[in-house]
Amino acid sequence: MPESVNRQILMAARPEGAPAESDFELVETEVPAPGDGQVLCRTIYLSLDPYMRGRMSAAKSYTKGVEVGELMVGGAVSEVAASNHPDLKPGDIVFGYTGWQDFALAEAKDLRKVDPAAAPISTALGILGMPGMTAYTGLLNIGRPKKGETLVVAAASGAVGSAVGQIARIKGCRAVGVAGSPEKCDFVTGELGFDACLNHQDPDFPAKLAEACPDGVDIYYENVGGAVFEAVVPLFNFFARVPVCGLIAQYNMTELPAGPNQIPVLMRAVLTKRLNIRGFIVWDFAEQEADFTATMGAWIRDGRVKYREDIVNGLENAPRAFMGLLEGKNFGKQIIHVADDPTG
Ligand SMILES: NC(=O)c1ccc[n+]([C@@H]2O[C@H](COP(=O)([O-])OP(=O)(O)OC[C@H]3O[C@@H](n4cnc5c(N)ncnc54)[C@H](OP(=O)(O)O)[C@@H]3O)[C@@H](O)[C@H]2O)c1
């Protein structure tokens, strides 16, 4: 790409249900020049995350959404291309929410330096970044794992779920994963060391999940909602904990599912089993970031936590990869490789 062109991906229309290619538009603009105190970032890796579907919606949420015609939001690892700030110099590697584009102007205070000597820089988007911290804080603060307990987590080969199960095992739990294909399940047990993994596409999934949890479920780390949650509810033990992290099975939903109202069944379980169900957003635990970075960094160095990245080449392929992420086509943390990695 010529250095004078900045490709940007905008939200062209609000999706109705699952996003389509026509909801995105690639435009070419000029590369901006940094003003006083500003930094010009060249995107190397762009993170794709399920929360972006929420930002594309008009529904009120915990943060401001994207308007039609605006740049798609997203975190990225970038190289500083030019700097008018004393704390950052050209060649530094930084993380920031700089969006779906080749180049971005940013304030130095909104960027965090990434140390290429500590780990591959792409990990700042996954296991050592927001998804890893989501797994760590949600599980430890709300799930409160204890030795000998059983944890269930879905999207178990993905960015958050893969870390949740491995941390639970470090804490002495039995970790049962749920994933969307036999290949993902083999990876979750074979590579990540979960005790079991069930395919939620299997027609006998509820019975197989029950078989894999002979002592019931003490922690259900909620990543998906829908049919997986329904299969877990009858298995809850007394005083089970449910960190509600995400509901990806619902993000493309345009109307409530048909069928009987299940809320009375759920509320009876909440009461009689004394369930502790708590939603959270990772930044509720922002003060634990340094602890997370040190602990997770050590676990990765010791080989106690493994991670998988699904890297797609080319900014222009971000919309398709994002649509795939919402359908389970990714296998590991979804990342777009936008420009050459100068550290790798
Ligand atoms: N609360 C927070 O602060 C926070 C922060 C980060 C992420 N999250 C949430 O955490 C969850 C996982 O995010 P991630 O970044 O780690 O993504 P990910 O797991 O890497 O990718 C998403 C996965 O969701 C699964 N999935 C999609 N539709 C599904 C369905 N209908 N039923 C069951 N599984 C389905 C697919 O895996 P399978 O093919 O294995 O089903 C897909 O690969 C999301 O719900 C996300 O919104 C929350």
Side-chain angles (χ1 to χ4, degrees):
M1 227 355 82
E3 291 288 271
S4 55
V5 175
N6 184 23
R7 294 172 307 160
Q8 301 184 306
I9 297 182
L10 314 181
M11 184 175 83
R14 283 203 193 283
E16 268 296 309
E21 293 262 9
S22 55
D23 297 327
F24 302 89
E25 183 188 9
L26 191 151
V27 297
E28 293 193 349
T29 59
E30 277 186 19
V31 177
D36 258 7
Q38 281 189 322
V39 175
L40 178 68
C41 300
R42 180 205 317 271
T43 309
I44 303 169
Y45 294 112
L46 168 69
S47 180
L48 295 184
D49 297 273
Y51 75 81
M52 294 165 175
R53 178 64 187 85
R55 298 288 170 88
M56 298 180 82
S57 155
K60 206 167 174 349
S61 185
Y62 56 90
T63 189
K64 187 186 164 299
V66 177
E67 297 299 330
V68 171
E70 281 183 355
L71 180 71
M72 283 292 297
V73 290
V77 168
S78 306
E79 180 182 16
V80 172
S83 173
N84 287 334
H85 193 282
D87 291 350
L88 290 170
K89 58 178 189 315
D92 282 346
I93 304 296
V94 291
F95 169 83
Y97 283 90
T98 47
W100 295 26
Q101 56 184 341
D102 289 312
F103 291 93
L105 282 185
E107 302 295 327
K109 68 172 173 44
D110 296 330
L111 299 171
R112 177 169 57 78
K113 265 198 196 178
V114 174
D115 178 6
I121 60 174
S122 56
T123 57
L125 302 178
I127 191 71
L128 284 172
M130 183 278 283
M133 179 155 157
T134 303
Y136 182 86
T137 56
L139 179 61
L140 298 186
N141 291 281
I142 305 173
R144 300 191 314 280
K146 290 191 266 312
K147 197 164 186 295
E149 290 189 329
T150 299
L151 163 128
V152 174
V153 62
S157 69
V160 175
S162 60
V164 168
Q166 293 180 87
I167 300 168
R169 295 229 352 127
I170 290 170
K171 298 293 172 187
C173 294
R174 173 176 167 76
V176 176
V178 176
S181 70
E183 294 73 28
K184 287 183 175 181
C185 285
D186 286 349
F187 168 76
V188 166
T189 50
E191 288 292 314
L192 303 181
F194 283 43
D195 297 278
C197 186
L198 295 312
N199 182 351
H200 62 82
Q201 315 266 12
D202 188 329
D204 295 333
F205 166 69
K208 289 195 169 152
L209 182 67
E211 240 171 68
C213 302
D215 300 326
V217 173
D218 301 292
I219 306 167
Y220 174 54
Y221 189 103
E222 175 61 296
N223 266 340
V224 303
V228 178
F229 184 50
E230 285 174 28
V232 173
V233 171
L235 307 179
F236 278 131
N237 289 331
F238 291 128
F239 302 102
R241 286 85 64 201
V242 185
V244 181
C245 170
L247 299 167
I248 194 167
Q250 298 180 191
Y251 293 170
N252 285 333
M253 207 178 257
T254 50
E255 55 188 31
L256 292 174
N261 179 352
Q262 298 285 346
I263 290 179
V265 175
L266 174 63
M267 290 309 286
R268 192 169 59 237
V270 170
L271 176 63
T272 59
K273 302 264 180 81
R274 285 83 121 196
L275 304 182
N276 189 342
I277 302 182
R278 179 179 157 193
F280 74 101
I281 300 297
V282 58
W283 304 122
D284 298 344
F285 302 109
E287 78 288 352
Q288 295 172 21
E289 190 167 17
D291 167 45
F292 155 71
T293 306
T295 309
M296 185 60 89
W299 283 339
I300 292 171
R301 277 194 301 282
D302 296 349
R304 298 183 83 187
V305 169
K306 298 190 176 127
Y307 63 92
R308 179 180 174 120
E309 297 173 332
D310 183 338
I311 300 189
V312 169
N313 276 316
L315 180 67
E316 66 282 6
N317 294 317
R320 193 181 297 262
F322 177 62
M323 293 184 287
L325 172 70
L326 296 172
E327 293 169 6
K329 292 197 176 135
N330 63 308
F331 191 169
K333 167 66 203 159
Q334 187 72 74
I335 291 173
I336 301 294
H337 182 198
V338 179
D340 284 349
D341 176 352
T343 67

